[in-house]
Structure formats: C-alpha cells, structure tokens
Amino acid sequence: MQGHYNVLFVCTGNSARSILAEAIVHHFGRDRFRGYSAGSQPKGFIYPQTLQVLKAVDLPIDELRSKSWAEIHDTGGSR
C-alpha cells in the first residue's frame, strides 16, 4: 500500500498514554497510518480510566492490550 506508515508509541507501562495514542492513530489514520504501542515494563493491563475515555469517544478497544516492546520487535511489528 502506497503511503502506509506504522507508528509505534513506546513507554514504560503500556497501560494508558501509549494505548490512547495507538487507538487514536489507528482509528483516525485510516488507510495511511497504523498505530502500535508497547512498553519496556508492561503492566499487563490497561487502566480502566483509559478504556472509559476510549469508549466515551467511540474508539474501538477490542484489540488493545498491554504488551512488551520485545513482542513487537520479535514479530517485526505485526500483531
């Protein structure tokens, strides 16, 4: 796909801000951008407040989860 970019947001816990960024870029980027997020020390859960915010603005949350950047690196960026 021409003009398609993957964007990775990296943080420590991967439980709030990077999750929000992933969801926003993935949704609003449509066919041009795909958002990903990961953490150096992932918490293993997403804060409930983060999910509430995403639900409040009608962004999908089904595919979101807290994950390590090693997982992203090991798969070459695919899920």
Side-chain angles (χ1 to χ4, degrees), residues 9-49:
F9 297 94
V10 179
C11 67
T12 305
N14 192 225
S15 57
R17 291 171 295 210
S18 57
I19 295 287
L20 290 169
E22 173 184 358
I24 291 167
V25 166
H26 181 67
H27 181 75
F28 291 106
R30 310 256 188 245
D31 295 330
R32 293 208 53 199
F33 295 93
R34 176 66 173 105
Y36 295 93
S37 69
S40 59
Q41 299 172 345
K43 296 204 179 277
F45 65 89
I46 299 172
Y47 284 114
Q49 299 91 331

Side-chain angles (χ1 to χ4, degrees), residues 2 6 8 11 14 17 21 26 28 32 45 47 51-53 56-58 60 66 70-71 74-75:
Q2 185 177 5
N6 291 324
L8 174 61
C11 67
N14 192 225
R17 291 171 295 210
H26 181 67
F28 291 106
R32 293 208 53 199
F45 65 89
Y47 284 114
L51 297 174
Q52 289 171 352
V53 166
V57 294
D58 293 324
S66 179
E71 179 179 331
D74 293 345
T75 62

Side-chain angles (χ1 to χ4, degrees), residues 48-68:
Q49 299 91 331
T50 303
L51 297 174
Q52 289 171 352
V53 166
L54 292 170
K55 287 179 186 178
V57 294
D58 293 324
L59 291 181
I61 61 169
D62 295 338
E63 293 184 24
L64 299 174
R65 62 187 178 81
S66 179
K67 58 202 157 300
S68 170

